[in-house]
Amino acid sequence: MKKIGFLSFGHWTPSPQSQTRSAADTLLQSIDLAVAAEQLGADGAYFRVHHFARQLASPFPLLAAVGAKTSHIETGTAVIDMRYENPFYMAEDAGAADLIAGGRLQLGISRGSPEQVIDGWRHFGYAPMEGESDADMGRRHTEVLLDLLRGEGFAQPNPRPMFPNPPGLLRLEPYSEGLRERIWWGAGSNATAVWAAKLGMNLQSSTLKDDESGLPFHVQQADQIRLYREAWKEAGHKREPRVSVSRSIFALVNDLDRAYFGSSGKDSDKVGFIDEKTRAIFGRSYAAEPDVLIEELAKDEAIAAADTLLLTVPNQLGVDYNAHVIESILTHVAPALGWR
């Protein structure tokens, strides 16, 4: 059995061909798709965060709204770029969103990806310390957040406060019990997956990672998951970790599916450079008739190793079509693979 959710990047464009022509369209349709996915029996509604782009950028109002409109589906991110985040303010926002959702928040965070602008985090008021890289800064922000989510008091109370305080040092409020165990790290390399395991974060692995062996993407990703779980066990954590992978998967069950995705031919992994130093491998997409799709997906070692699968959805095609994409996988593919 696997948890199956969707992952939306929340693209919008004023183009007449897009069903999401404004930021308002994207936000409101994201809520509607989460509600529809819950009704279909999906397990998660996840959203990507990109700054300076016509995409979803401020996750917590959206997560709070989804949490209020749904009752049992997990709601989360994949991922928030921690280079841009104030961990203290983020702990308050995340605590509030989790309480609204009744403890269903699954917060995916990471160092981030290549950006729309140069050093965008500087515009948000952040800069690496001396000797730090921006990635180091993102991981430092993460460690502060994790410490805050333990819920222990750290701030000296005012002897003459406006309102009465509980005894002792004060923590940030609102505090949501258990959220610390529902933080995920989006790892782009084997080393950062191991680092996440040591800190007790769940693992999110996307359709992109550093090309560290030259092997097919799904094999490298499965190796990353194995190293993560070994590091988790070595760290001595008491609970079982969770691992998610993301995939673009489309079951071609009608003429509209074939029109959108049926002419792409057999997809394959792609290798390229995401910056001047990092050679990366991009995982293939899947689009085929259900029987062919089942056969292809059964060979994906990383999906087999993960407990959670996030289906990336083409959100600009609208809520109804994306609900159909999710339902097709849940109905025509997942049972045959033992995911349901």
Side-chain angles (χ1 to χ4, degrees):
M1 299 291 290
K2 288 191 191 301
K3 289 184 179 294
I4 301 175
F6 73 82
L7 171 60
S8 174
F9 281 48
H11 294 281
W12 63 273
T13 174
S15 166
Q17 285 74 42
S18 175
Q19 297 295 312
T20 53
R21 301 181 189 179
S22 69
D25 287 344
T26 293
L27 289 163
L28 295 172
Q29 289 183 29
S30 294
I31 298 168
D32 290 343
L33 183 58
V35 171
E38 180 174 80
Q39 293 170 348
L40 291 169
D43 302 295
Y46 287 74
F47 305 96
R48 185 67 165 90
V49 176
H50 281 113
H51 300 290
F52 298 103
R54 290 177 173 180
Q55 298 178 47
L56 295 171
S58 52
F60 291 107
L62 174 60
L63 293 170
V66 171
K69 287 281 192 176
T70 57
S71 60
H72 57 268
I73 195 171
E74 293 179 344
T75 178
T77 52
V79 289
I80 297 173
D81 188 335
M82 290 302 293
R83 296 173 296 180
Y84 286 78
E85 294 296 322
N86 178 325
F88 293 81
Y89 198 3
M90 185 177 181
E92 292 181 343
D93 278 353
D98 194 40
L99 290 170
I100 289 170
R104 290 181 281 130
L105 184 62
Q106 305 288 337
L107 199 61
I109 61 178
S110 187
R111 182 222 69 156
S113 59
E115 303 177 82
Q116 297 294 109
V117 300
I118 298 171
D119 294 347
W121 30 268
R122 293 189 185 276
H123 296 285
F124 279 55
Y126 304 113
M129 293 180 177
E130 185 175 353
E132 271 191 334
S133 67
D134 62 307
D136 295 331
M137 178 179 66
R139 286 188 284 270
R140 172 166 53 83
H141 288 180
T142 296
E143 293 189 28
V144 174
L145 174 68
L146 295 177
D147 191 50
L148 293 170
L149 292 179
R150 292 163 56 202
E152 297 181 0
F154 62 91
Q156 190 70 37
N158 188 331
R160 293 182 297 276
M162 181 178 294
F163 307 106
N165 282 322
L169 299 176
L170 301 183
R171 68 186 182 189
L172 293 175
E173 302 289 355
Y175 174 70
S176 186
E177 186 75 37
L179 179 57
R180 171 63 179 83
E181 295 187 352
R182 286 178 275 113
I183 304 298
W184 304 60
W185 182 258
S189 68
N190 292 347
T192 52
V194 168
W195 174 79
K198 291 177 179 177
L199 269 63
M201 290 186 281
N202 299 313
L203 176 66
Q204 286 181 338
S205 194
S206 184
T207 53
L208 166 69
K209 73 176 295 295
D210 293 359
D211 185 7
E212 299 180 80
S213 67
L215 294 171
F217 172 80
H218 73 100
V219 176
Q220 292 199 48
Q221 194 174 48
D223 288 341
Q224 182 191 49
I225 294 170
R226 175 182 54 79
L227 291 169
Y228 166 81
R229 288 196 168 120
E230 289 174 355
W232 183 279
K233 184 177 180 180
E234 185 177 338
H237 301 303
K238 302 303 180 185
R239 66 178 179 88
E240 285 296 312
R242 288 184 60 185
V243 174
S244 74
V245 296
S246 303
R247 292 288 186 275
S248 295
I249 305 174
F250 301 98
L252 307 182
V253 299
N254 61 32
D255 290 342
L256 189 58
D257 296 331
R258 296 181 190 96
Y260 280 140
F261 302 107
S263 61
S264 58
K266 187 171 178 58
D267 201 2
S268 60
D269 296 341
K270 297 176 177 61
V271 175
F273 286 83
I274 57 173
D275 57 42
E276 63 275 7
K277 298 178 181 178
T278 308
R279 175 184 166 97
I281 184 166
F282 303 77
R284 58 163 296 187
S285 299
Y286 294 90
E289 306 291 330
D291 56 340
V292 176
L293 203 55
I294 291 164
E295 183 178 344
E296 292 178 340
L297 292 169
K299 300 173 185 176
D300 192 310
E301 296 180 15
I303 293 179
D307 60 78
T308 301
L309 173 63
L310 301 183
L311 304 170
T312 60
V313 294
N315 74 282
Q316 291 187 88
L317 295 181
V319 174
D320 290 344
Y321 184 74
N322 280 285
H324 160 74
V325 167
I326 296 166
E327 184 178 26
S328 295
I329 300 301
L330 295 177
T331 303
H332 300 292
V333 177
L337 288 164
W339 301 346
R340 278 290 188 271

